[in-house]
Amino acid sequence: QESETFPDRMEVQKDEDEESREKPGLKVPATKAGRKRGTKEVDLVAKLFDEYGPKYASRNGGYTRIIKIGQRKGDGAMEVVLEFV
């Protein structure tokens, strides 16, 4: 009998999800979704090779410096500052 009631539960849950999406304050425009305010789009790969590549062309190695700054509060992952030397 549980298999008969399970689809009913799923239908109720789907209806609740659809209602929460339809509330006017919860809609996010697709073009701005996931972007922070005041940011711009930069092609980082092109910048890395066009601007920074020539600066480090004569260097034999040791392009970066890694400074450990401690653990992140949320999940305890080690955080570092990565610098180009």
Side-chain angles (χ1 to χ4, degrees), residues 11-66:
E11 288 175 15
V12 170
Q13 185 177 4
K14 286 180 185 176
D15 291 339
E16 290 173 358
D17 289 342
E18 289 173 6
E19 289 174 8
S20 67
R21 286 190 209 125
E22 293 174 3
K23 290 181 182 177
L26 297 178
K27 291 185 180 179
V28 177
T31 57
K32 302 234 180 190
R35 290 190 61 192
K36 290 185 177 183
R37 194 177 326 163
T39 59
K40 60 182 178 179
E41 229 174 275
V42 177
D43 187 8
L44 292 179
V45 175
K47 184 172 184 170
L48 183 67
F49 284 97
D50 295 339
E51 291 182 32
Y52 294 110
K55 291 180 185 178
Y56 295 99
S58 62
R59 196 173 176 104
N60 291 328
Y63 306 109
T64 58
R65 174 185 303 133
I66 299 174

